[in-house]
Amino acid sequence: MEVVFTDSALERLQNRMQGNKGFLKLKHDTEGCGCVVSGVAALWLVDKPEDNDTRIMTNGPDLYLDYNTEVFFDEKMTIDAPAGNHFSLKSPSEILNPGMKYYNKTKQNTGS
């Protein structure tokens, strides 16, 4: 799998992370979706990758992806930062999420 960040996405990501330490995860988020196939792509900053996560090298920070959810993503994807406060995830054949959100799921953010 290949993921490329645009320059604007790298800049927005740096601003969103605000120096927080962690690992970036491309998440197939199913919370509130009712069904696993209805999930949406999201970026999560997590304290550490899970045992079943696959590491994806990028032109920016490495991404981690639950290997069970690889089927929901394309082999080549781009993460961009369009106007607004979100990201977009697209491939040569489709737009996977035009309004992809970023969540800081680290303990340092939750105060735990």
Side-chain angles (χ1 to χ4, degrees):
M1 183 175 289
E2 177 185 338
V3 177
V4 174
F5 286 91
T6 63
D7 290 341
S8 59
L10 288 171
E11 183 178 332
R12 181 170 296 161
L13 184 60
Q14 183 177 12
N15 290 337
R16 295 296 302 260
M17 291 176 71
Q18 300 175 352
N20 289 315
K21 302 284 188 223
F23 296 87
L24 198 59
K25 187 168 185 171
L26 181 58
K27 181 76 173 163
H28 180 73
D29 191 359
T30 58
E31 187 174 326
C33 293
C35 176
V36 69
V37 295
S38 298
V40 294
L43 288 174
W44 285 15
L45 184 66
V46 297
D47 289 311
K48 64 180 184 175
E50 296 178 31
D51 291 338
N52 61 344
D53 285 348
T54 301
R55 182 174 156 202
I56 303 166
M57 308 243 322
T58 73
N59 63 323
D62 290 345
L63 283 175
Y64 291 84
L65 175 70
D66 183 332
Y67 81 94
N68 289 327
T69 64
E70 287 182 32
V71 68
F72 298 110
F73 298 100
D74 289 341
E75 190 59 34
K76 292 185 178 189
M77 297 178 292
T78 301
I79 296 176
D80 197 6
N85 196 24
H86 58 277
F87 295 88
S88 67
L89 180 65
K90 51 192 166 186
S91 73
S93 62
E94 66 181 319
I95 297 173
L96 292 118
N97 188 348
M100 186 167 65
K101 295 185 178 185
Y102 168 89
Y103 299 97
N104 184 339
K105 299 282 190 172
T106 62
K107 289 180 183 176
Q108 61 198 0
N109 186 55
T110 61
S112 303

